[in-house]
Amino acid sequence: MNHDCIFCKIISGELPSAIIFQDERVTAFRDINPAAPTHILIVPNKHIASVEAVEEADESLIGYLYRAASRIAREEGISEAGYRLITNTGANAGQTVFHLHVHLLGGKMLKLALD
Ligand code: AMP
């Protein structure tokens, strides 16, 4: 737990949010500023600042996080139509919260915007 991190505060329950799934390894909650009808953030409960900070010991956790994303997409009813998973990394990508997260976006036809 990093006490300066808003996602750590969401994970611990200190900061209220719309949590839709939580277990001992990951937490998923709705993005406060949704960019699509479904916009969920899936995060490891462990504080990892970004993809750049992922260590060898985290490899199974990252796989687990993607499996959780897929399950949540199915539960949200967007699996068949398709969805996008995005992880911004660093300043040029516009990362604003330095706790690793995967954006799950769907529920509409998404534009292919690579920048
Ligand atoms: P990124 O720009 O990839 O770091 O994404 C950070 C995301 O976190 C943005 O889409 C924000 O809207 C979202 N966000 C920031 N604060 C909160 C919060 N308290 N609850 C839910 N989502 C948040």
Side-chain angles (χ1 to χ4, degrees):
M1 164 118 194
N2 175 331
H3 292 278
D4 298 324
C5 170
I6 56 168
F7 287 179
C8 282
K9 289 181 181 166
I10 287 173
I11 292 159
S12 70
E14 188 181 333
L15 191 70
S17 79
I19 291 180
I20 60 161
F21 176 80
Q22 184 164 48
D23 68 8
E24 71 285 353
R25 300 180 87 182
V26 301
T27 299
F29 50 94
R30 295 199 187 275
D31 196 292
I32 206 166
N33 185 22
T38 296
H39 188 170
I40 292 164
L41 302 174
I42 303 123
V43 308
N45 294 344
K46 174 186 176 187
H47 182 82
I48 301 172
S50 82
V51 168
E52 287 296 298
V54 172
E55 298 170 345
E56 190 175 351
D58 301 321
E59 285 178 1
S60 82
L61 174 59
I62 300 304
Y64 187 84
L65 189 141
Y66 272 86
R67 297 212 339 120
S70 155
R71 196 172 56 251
I72 291 164
R74 202 158 53 243
E75 285 163 8
E76 290 284 313
I78 60 173
S79 293
E80 278 191 25
Y83 56 88
R84 184 171 293 159
L85 300 174
I86 296 175
T87 298
N88 294 318
T89 305
N92 270 9
Q95 184 178 3
T96 57
V97 178
F98 284 82
H99 181 128
L100 177 64
H101 51 282
V102 172
H103 295 255
L104 167 61
L105 293 156
K108 69 171 186 181
M109 181 65 77
L110 299 164
K111 292 192 203 104
L112 187 58
L114 294 178
D115 63 9

